[in-house]
Amino acid sequence: MLSHQLFIGDNALNGNSVFWCNSSLPDLKGSSKGFPKHETRHLSEHKNVARCARFSPDGRFVATGSADTSIKLFEVSKIKQMLLPDAKDGPVRSVVKTYYDHIQPVNDLDFHPQGTILVSGAKDQTIKFFDVSKTNAKRSYRVIQDTHNVRSVSFHPSGDFLLAGTDHAIPHLYDINTFQCYLSANVPDNSPNGAINQVRYSCTGAMYVTASKDGAIRLWDGITANCVRSITAAHGTAEATSAIFTRDQRFVLSCGKDSTIKLWEAGSGRLVKQYLGAVHTQLRCQAIFNATEEFILSIDELNNEVVIWDAMTTDIVAKWPSNHVGAPRWLEHSPVESAFISCGTDRSIRFWKEV
């Protein structure tokens, strides 16, 4: 059953769930920094399009999800062994586990902030929980049955709540201990085409953001679940495909199928910066920060390139061939080091690491 309003008590933000955030992106204009060279390595292939990826908070693992319904779990230390030119113990297998438990394509993944739990959202309207510490487990140990295609998932920093962005225009919020689902009672400008492409918490859980097919970016209060700001037509009439907070929660970075990436002031909804020069009109493309938030990475579908901007100056500082056959569908950066993953429509997974 879906409830129609929500209030999370203050205990949701008490104790170890409060995260200190670094300041980021001062409004200064100067000369652009150079983005360091990266080497890239083919890691593995799914049997169909590789659709999504997520690193664990400590950077030890990265998981990928596919249209073939499978999830691959990689150990980053083993990936780094693969990159060594003089590996002495023969070939290294970086895939430590493959999960087969969905019956339709996997759309998004997230790791529990304090544990070894991986969640996945899929077109089969389920959210599945996997314990990555169980060496022999190939199936989920818990399942949430939603009422819609689950497009995006995001854990609250406390780990007690999970957001699901679905074909429904309102985020579904689950208490992961009771599986109770809550919906906000306050939904302004509800769009009939407001399916949520991405939902992401801020690093304290005080807010969350949604990017929708109707082109809107919406900011929600993490305590009351009320929509506190709608940036309608953030990407014109085109879909908003991704939205993430900076670590200090002051800004939101969004990407859309209008071939723009935009930085918004969370407090006012004001457009602060635009990052242009890459074409993305077809895929559910992501715009992401590197680990220090000095650079922004995304995809140019037309030229099949990874494009990097200086976050402060908005200048393009690098364009690299993706090494995929066809443009990658997803980029995901490590939270702890200069490394990222690209997921291809060619089914392949590539790891990129600073040289």
Side-chain angles (χ1 to χ4, degrees):
M1 292 291 292
L2 297 179
S3 301
H4 296 290
Q5 59 183 6
L6 169 66
F7 180 81
I8 301 172
D10 291 340
N11 62 318
L13 292 176
N14 285 343
N16 60 8
S17 64
V18 174
F19 283 58
W20 292 102
C21 296
N22 298 325
S23 62
S24 60
L25 295 176
D27 287 326
L28 300 174
K29 185 86 175 177
S31 57
S32 297
K33 301 182 183 73
F35 192 71
K37 289 183 179 178
H38 283 52
E39 59 182 327
T40 182
R41 177 70 181 264
H42 174 273
L43 297 185
S44 183
E45 283 190 6
H46 285 277
K47 295 174 183 174
N48 205 325
V49 173
R51 292 171 59 86
C52 56
R54 191 67 75 93
F55 282 87
S56 61
D58 58 8
R60 287 182 56 210
F61 297 99
V62 63
T64 61
S66 172
D68 68 9
T69 75
S70 73
I71 297 165
K72 288 180 183 280
L73 181 71
F74 300 82
E75 195 169 340
V76 173
S77 62
K78 291 187 176 179
I79 295 174
K80 290 176 180 175
Q81 278 182 262
M82 289 175 64
L83 295 173
L84 293 174
D86 55 348
K88 297 176 181 176
D89 299 322
V92 177
R93 181 169 167 77
S94 60
V95 180
V96 293
K97 206 169 302 180
T98 303
Y99 299 107
Y100 301 95
D101 208 23
H102 284 287
I103 57 173
Q104 289 192 45
V106 179
N107 289 322
D108 200 11
L109 302 159
D110 199 13
F111 281 90
H112 188 279
Q114 282 100 36
T116 56
I117 306 307
L118 173 69
V119 296
S120 55
K123 283 191 175 182
D124 58 17
Q125 303 184 358
T126 65
I127 300 166
K128 303 211 171 187
F129 290 68
F130 302 88
D131 188 339
V132 301
S133 68
K134 304 288 188 192
T135 55
N136 295 321
K138 291 196 173 182
R139 296 194 177 276
S140 61
Y141 69 94
R142 297 178 83 180
V143 179
I144 293 175
Q145 182 66 56
D146 200 276
T147 51
H148 295 73
N149 168 22
V150 182
R151 293 170 166 269
S152 185
V153 287
S154 181
F155 266 116
H156 187 281
S158 69
D160 293 330
F161 301 95
L162 181 73
L163 276 169
T166 73
D167 281 349
H168 192 202
I170 308 168
H172 296 181
L173 184 107
Y174 288 95
D175 182 320
I176 69 164
N177 299 305
T178 66
F179 281 15
Q180 181 72 36
C181 180
Y182 302 95
L183 298 179
S184 173
N186 164 35
V187 188
D189 57 53
N190 194 1
S191 167
N193 192 31
I196 295 170
N197 281 321
Q198 192 167 79
V199 59
R200 292 291 185 261
Y201 267 111
S202 67
C203 70
T204 64
M207 299 179 74
Y208 51 95
V209 62
T210 55
S212 299
K213 289 190 77 171
D214 61 10
I217 303 297
R218 295 181 176 90
L219 301 175
W220 307 74
D221 187 289
I223 303 297
T224 65
N226 285 333
C227 182
V228 295
R229 178 158 291 101
S230 289
I231 306 172
T232 56
H235 289 275
T237 58
E239 292 184 34
T241 51
S242 74
I244 54 173
F245 282 96
T246 53
R247 282 195 294 269
D248 61 8
Q249 302 180 97
R250 288 176 58 205
F251 304 101
V252 167
L253 184 73
S254 71
C255 183
K257 287 188 177 179
D258 60 346
S259 297
T260 69
I261 296 164
K262 298 182 178 182
L263 190 73
W264 308 89
E265 189 173 61
S268 66
R270 177 176 66 95
L271 178 62
V272 180
K273 296 180 188 293
Q274 280 197 91
Y275 305 88
L276 305 174
V279 175
H280 34 89
T281 60
Q282 302 299 318
L283 301 174
R284 188 162 56 102
C285 186
Q286 317 295 302
I288 59 172
F289 287 106
N290 73 327
T292 63
E293 295 189 336
E294 294 175 285
F295 298 97
I296 290 162
L297 292 77
S298 194
I299 294 300
D300 185 321
E301 295 172 358
L302 191 63
N303 297 303
N304 191 10
E305 292 176 328
V306 177
V307 182
I308 300 101
W309 292 261
D310 183 302
M312 199 179 300
T313 67
T314 74
D315 293 332
I316 292 176
V317 294
K319 287 186 176 184
W320 297 334
S322 79
N323 290 287
H324 289 275
V325 179
R329 186 183 177 91
W330 193 285
L331 296 180
E332 194 73 20
H333 203 284
S334 168
V336 298
E337 62 179 326
S338 297
F340 64 93
I341 285 279
S342 57
C343 297
T345 50
D346 62 357
R347 308 179 302 181
S348 69
I349 310 297
R350 300 194 72 89
F351 184 79
W352 302 69
K353 189 176 187 312
E354 183 178 341
V355 177

